[in-house]
Amino acid sequence: MIITLFFVLGLVTSNIGHTVDGMHSMLKEDFELERKLSLINKSPIKSIHTKSGYIIDCVNINKQPAFDHPLLKNHKLQHIPSSQRNVSETNVHISPTKSNFEIEKVRCPKETVPIRRVTKDDLIGGISLFNDHILDQTSYHRHSTHVSSINLHAPYFGVTGTASVYNPKVFKGQSSSGHIYVQNGQGDSTNKIVVGWHVSPQLYNNDATHIYSYWTHDNFKTGCYNILCSGFVQIDHSYYLGARVVQTSSYGGVMVEMPITLFQDQNTKNWWLTVANKNIGYFPASLFSNLATANEVGFGGQTVTPVGAPSPSMGSGHFPDDNFSHVAYFRNVAFQDVSRKFYGPTIDLVDKFSDAPKKCYQLIYHEPYPKPIGWALQYGGPGGDCDS
């Protein structure tokens, strides 16, 4: 009887210990979330309520979240690129009406920048998305269709292209994107910046299309989407990461385009992001352990879905057919080499990659199309059962 009593008491004590440890862990996680929120949500000079229900805070440009990063404590703000070679862009005349790229309008006062206010649920969703979608391939399947530079001709210092912007149908836990990227290193030394447009209900709690980015300096052990961690330095007063795209392309109709460029400033070595000819901001050189140059740059599409679920559509949801009003594309694509000049990459300078069966997604990249299209990638498809 006494032995049994001691055994029962031991079990109770053990369970209480586990419960206390669990509560301690939860409180610690909650405290860390609150700490991160306090770093992101700065005291605003002005707040703007958007039609989508977001709150955009206009924050002092010198007190924005980026400067809470320990590597940026003595960072000198760069207001404009020290040098920037313009990439020739022309409206593409392939649809009944003129292309029209527009984000939800905000306009912050001088010396302030727009920072989307983040809730605890936003932060939890963003952290989960970054960790699960990029790291945990046992829970999620990721499929990519893209064109990239050949390492043999590295180093690279920029990539650019004009992307058609769509609104593919996805569900919570899924995402679908079109993007460009720069990357250097392998394994744990992988440094990467990705920017473009995507649909991600888990990140925004809606099915709209948004401008987005993610970055890492250690093969995704750390990093984040948009501004969910300190790092990206916002410069523009109206365009910002996480902004909703008001209008998107439609099959056979109006093509909504987003010219987008990532390039390294020759003097500061910061990686600047330009969207629709606006310098949104930059990723400081000091954030990265191995991105003084890029050994790979590229552009294309990507989808993510939970294991066991069908993959969502990519781009317009249709396969490439050489008709630019039917399918997602990047036109006027170019890489920047050691000459710091952008050039259209010929077929022998690129690798074409797709890790999904042709019934799901396809891509086309060949000799340049007539102006104003030039070197161009068409990509996308309906998705479906892509893992059987």
Side-chain angles (χ1 to χ4, degrees):
M1 173 80 78
I2 293 174
I3 294 174
T4 302
L5 180 60
F6 277 128
F7 178 73
V8 171
L9 287 173
L11 286 178
V12 171
T13 304
S14 175
N15 286 336
I16 290 174
H18 284 306
T19 301
V20 170
D21 288 343
M23 289 181 64
H24 178 72
S25 178
M26 289 176 62
L27 288 171
K28 187 176 180 181
E29 289 178 7
D30 192 63
F31 176 80
E32 181 61 18
L33 287 172
E34 292 292 348
R35 186 188 71 82
K36 289 181 178 179
L37 281 175
S38 68
L39 293 176
I40 297 170
N41 295 325
K42 304 293 186 182
S43 298
I45 305 299
K46 174 184 177 181
S47 294
I48 300 169
H49 293 255
T50 69
K51 291 182 179 179
S52 298
Y54 306 139
I55 299 176
I56 306 302
D57 290 325
C58 297
V59 176
N60 185 312
I61 193 170
N62 294 301
K63 296 180 180 179
Q64 60 179 293
F67 299 125
D68 289 313
H69 197 290
L71 294 175
L72 301 182
K73 288 197 173 181
N74 298 314
H75 180 78
K76 183 178 179 181
L77 182 68
Q78 184 179 9
H79 287 274
I80 59 173
S82 55
S83 63
Q84 181 175 356
R85 296 184 181 275
N86 292 326
V87 181
S88 175
E89 291 290 344
T90 312
N91 284 330
V92 61
H93 301 291
I94 55 174
S95 57
T97 58
K98 184 180 177 182
S99 301
N100 183 26
F101 174 75
E102 183 183 347
I103 66 169
E104 271 195 325
K105 287 186 170 69
V106 299
R107 184 68 180 174
C108 283
K110 189 176 180 181
E111 294 303 314
T112 69
V113 291
I115 303 294
R116 183 184 164 193
R117 191 179 298 179
V118 174
T119 67
K120 187 180 291 187
D121 287 341
D122 292 334
L123 190 56
I124 292 171
I127 293 171
S128 174
L129 184 71
F130 188 82
N131 292 339
D132 293 341
H133 287 193
I134 295 174
L135 293 175
D136 187 2
Q137 297 303 306
T138 62
S139 299
Y140 290 85
H141 282 163
R142 178 179 55 174
H143 290 293
S144 181
T145 300
H146 65 258
V147 167
S148 63
S149 59
I150 291 178
N151 188 290
L152 181 65
H153 297 276
Y156 300 97
F157 298 89
V159 61
T160 187
T162 296
S164 58
V165 183
Y166 280 89
N167 181 241
K169 182 67 175 177
V170 305
F171 299 97
K172 196 155 189 178
Q174 297 179 325
S175 66
S176 185
S177 68
H179 58 253
I180 64 175
Y181 69 91
V182 298
Q183 177 177 316
N184 197 59
Q186 295 180 339
D188 288 344
S189 65
T190 297
N191 284 223
K192 189 170 188 176
I193 304 172
V194 176
V195 293
W197 62 265
H198 72 169
V199 181
S200 179
Q202 187 169 334
L203 193 57
Y204 306 101
N205 201 32
N206 63 38
D207 58 2
T209 301
H210 297 258
I211 300 173
Y212 87 108
S213 175
Y214 63 81
W215 64 275
T216 183
H217 69 89
D218 53 8
N219 198 28
F220 303 106
K221 290 183 178 62
T222 58
C224 65
Y225 279 89
N226 300 336
I227 54 130
L228 294 181
C229 62
S230 302
F232 180 76
V233 177
Q234 176 75 32
I235 295 296
D236 191 68
H237 301 305
S238 55
Y239 281 31
Y240 59 95
L241 293 176
R244 179 173 179 171
V245 181
V246 174
Q247 184 180 359
T248 56
S249 302
S250 59
Y251 180 86
V254 175
M255 294 294 102
V256 176
E257 295 185 315
M258 182 174 76
I260 184 167
T261 302
L262 262 176
F263 70 97
Q264 188 192 66
D265 187 287
Q266 197 164 356
N267 294 336
T268 65
K269 311 304 180 185
N270 299 327
W271 288 91
W272 276 85
L273 168 61
T274 299
V275 173
N277 302 315
K278 284 179 176 282
N279 292 318
I280 292 186
Y282 60 90
F283 300 86
S286 56
L287 287 179
F288 301 99
S289 61
N290 189 22
L291 202 54
T293 65
N295 66 0
E296 180 178 323
V297 298
F299 35 84
Q302 181 175 279
T303 62
V304 178
T305 196
V307 170
S311 293
S313 61
M314 180 188 293
S316 70
H318 296 267
F319 294 124
D321 62 1
D322 272 334
N323 188 325
F324 280 74
S325 66
H326 288 171
V327 67
Y329 59 82
F330 282 85
R331 67 175 181 88
N332 278 342
V333 297
F335 301 159
Q336 191 183 66
D337 62 10
V338 292
S339 70
R340 300 288 175 162
K341 294 180 180 179
F342 281 104
Y343 63 92
T346 55
I347 296 173
D348 61 314
L349 295 180
V350 303
D351 284 325
K352 292 187 288 187
F353 174 85
S354 181
D355 60 5
K358 288 188 175 181
K359 67 179 181 178
C360 292
Y361 314 118
Q362 298 176 21
L363 66 85
I364 292 177
Y365 187 84
H366 52 59
E367 294 299 324
Y369 294 87
K371 291 182 178 181
I373 298 174
W375 289 100
L377 166 72
Q378 290 188 338
Y379 68 95
D385 183 5
C386 302
D387 299 297
S388 61

